[in-house]
Amino acid sequence: MKLYDFKKLSQKLDFLKYPEVNESRFEIVRKDLSEEEKRGNVTFKEDGIYLMINGIEHKGYMYIKKADVIQYGQPKFHITNCSVIQDQKNRGYFNGHYFWHNSNTVTIEDRNTHQLFENINLNLCGRCRELANIEEYRNTQGFFDLLDIQTEEPQNNEELDMFGYVKDWQQISKKFRIENEFTCDNCKIKIENKIDQRYIQVHHRNGNKLNNKRDNLQCLCTLCHSNIDERHTVNFQKKRSVHEIATFVEKYRDILIQIDNPYIKNY
Ligand SMILES: [Zn+2]
Ligand SMILES: [Zn+2]
Ligand SMILES: [Zn+2]
């Protein structure tokens, strides 16, 4: 599956060139689900369990922190209020037993021996998979990969500080890219593959990211976007963006050459 190819490539790049740093586009958090529910920070939606942190909703999953791992094997992780979860609730085995997390792996503990199992890649609960109609992933690594590519990266720190604005921006950006049929306004490449549509980005023509009027926005592929001016070239030198351009170019090189993308010759 393509998702995993990307992951492998990115791991390879990590191994070859880059120091190991967490550059996920979202905050990695692990929280006691019951505690957060009590505080009113948790919303169950059909594709995940959303946790509000400092005014931002983060998407994640739930899993049991202490399970009978040795006896029954690794527990599943859940993204919905499925029948397994309902059953746990009815038996009084829900509150205090589940954690909310959004990372690729988890640490769990055997309930009886207290043995720790670290960096475990849990499998998705079958009921949840049916309920949410999920085909893109089957384990926490897949959940994380998809979350990572669905989360758009704000382009500077200014934006990061403006929480309300960032949330709003993701909707504006998504709508604008749909209207433009995920086509780059510069080189005209059109991306049909859903997962690859992250390569089509929304640029602010005058550089003012608070001006989201239509005539200030432009759909660009990540290669054109990164080359549009000097400021962008510098911004796109972050590890995450370098990966993104590399995977985009690797996959779409032939098309980019064919449509005469002005920057492809540099890659
Ligand atoms: Zn489930
Ligand atoms: Zn382009
Ligand atoms: Zn831009």
Side-chain angles (χ1 to χ4, degrees):
M1 217 174 133
K2 268 156 206 125
L3 219 58
Y4 293 99
D5 294 341
F6 286 129
K7 191 68 200 173
K8 270 187 209 135
L9 173 75
S10 122
Q11 277 167 352
K12 197 165 179 188
L13 287 171
D14 282 342
F15 179 68
L16 293 174
K17 295 181 198 158
Y18 301 98
E20 189 53 40
V21 269
N22 173 21
E23 276 204 45
S24 295
R25 299 178 196 205
F26 50 92
E27 217 181 320
I28 303 289
V29 196
R30 182 175 182 260
K31 298 266 190 189
D32 185 309
L33 187 68
S34 308
E35 288 297 308
E36 295 301 324
E37 262 196 302
K38 259 183 246 160
R39 295 192 189 109
N41 293 335
V42 176
T43 316
F44 289 88
K45 295 187 189 174
E46 57 187 17
D47 64 338
I49 298 127
Y50 288 73
L51 181 64
M52 189 72 93
I53 305 163
N54 297 328
I56 297 190
E57 265 193 335
H58 295 255
K59 182 168 134 184
Y61 53 85
M62 58 185 159
Y63 67 101
I64 204 157
K65 56 184 171 179
K66 289 183 187 178
D68 292 320
V69 187
I70 291 168
Q71 202 179 346
Y72 295 114
Q74 291 166 10
K76 308 283 192 228
F77 75 101
H78 303 266
I79 55 169
T80 68
N81 245 324
C82 71
S83 55
V84 178
I85 293 296
Q86 292 303 325
D87 187 48
Q88 298 271 56
K89 282 181 176 165
N90 293 338
R91 286 166 38 209
Y93 202 68
F94 183 78
N95 283 340
H97 293 274
Y98 279 81
F99 261 112
W100 181 96
H101 203 19
N102 58 357
S103 194
N104 51 340
T105 59
V106 302
T107 297
I108 49 175
E109 185 183 324
D110 184 77
R111 203 153 60 95
N112 305 305
T113 64
H114 304 294
Q115 186 183 339
L116 283 183
F117 298 85
E118 289 174 73
N119 297 319
I120 301 295
N121 189 2
L122 295 181
N123 287 325
L124 176 61
C125 153
R127 301 285 164 77
C128 281
R129 200 175 67 220
E130 282 167 28
L131 268 176
N133 198 13
I134 292 292
E135 284 172 11
E136 291 96 330
Y137 60 86
R138 296 238 161 170
N139 53 31
T140 44
Q141 180 69 55
F143 177 93
F144 177 85
D145 287 343
L146 193 64
L147 191 58
D148 199 27
I149 63 177
Q150 282 173 343
T151 310
E152 286 176 46
E153 183 178 34
Q155 286 175 2
N156 58 33
N157 293 330
E158 226 172 286
E159 285 182 342
L160 274 177
D161 295 333
M162 305 175 67
F163 292 132
Y165 166 66
V166 169
K167 271 184 83 176
D168 201 28
W169 168 244
Q170 293 188 356
Q171 285 161 17
I172 294 168
S173 162
K174 192 170 181 185
K175 194 162 168 254
F176 189 76
R177 292 182 302 148
I178 290 170
E179 282 168 11
N180 285 274
E181 297 181 327
F182 295 92
T183 304
C184 175
D185 188 44
N186 189 48
C187 72
K188 312 297 180 200
I189 191 167
K190 182 176 178 175
I191 306 294
E192 312 267 2
N193 179 324
K194 256 208 155 74
I195 286 168
D196 290 351
Q197 286 174 345
R198 65 189 161 128
Y199 296 130
I200 299 294
Q201 301 164 346
V202 181
H203 166 65
H204 292 85
R205 291 178 195 265
N206 74 355
N208 177 4
K209 295 202 168 76
L210 297 177
N211 179 352
N212 294 325
K213 288 195 187 118
R214 197 155 301 254
D215 59 1
N216 191 38
L217 302 181
Q218 188 179 22
C219 251
L220 293 172
C221 72
T222 186
L223 184 56
C224 290
H225 195 190
S226 64
N227 282 287
I228 198 134
D229 59 28
E230 210 173 310
R231 187 174 60 84
H232 280 75
T233 309
V234 173
N235 273 347
F236 276 77
Q237 274 161 10
K238 284 176 292 181
K239 177 187 156 197
R240 172 65 67 184
S241 303
V242 170
H243 280 195
E244 192 168 75
I245 297 168
T247 51
F248 175 60
V249 166
E250 182 184 50
K251 185 160 180 188
Y252 290 95
R253 180 181 296 279
D254 291 347
I255 298 172
L256 289 164
I257 291 171
Q258 211 183 333
I259 62 175
D260 222 6
N261 179 295
Y263 309 108
I264 188 67
K265 51 185 173 290
N266 304 328
Y267 285 85

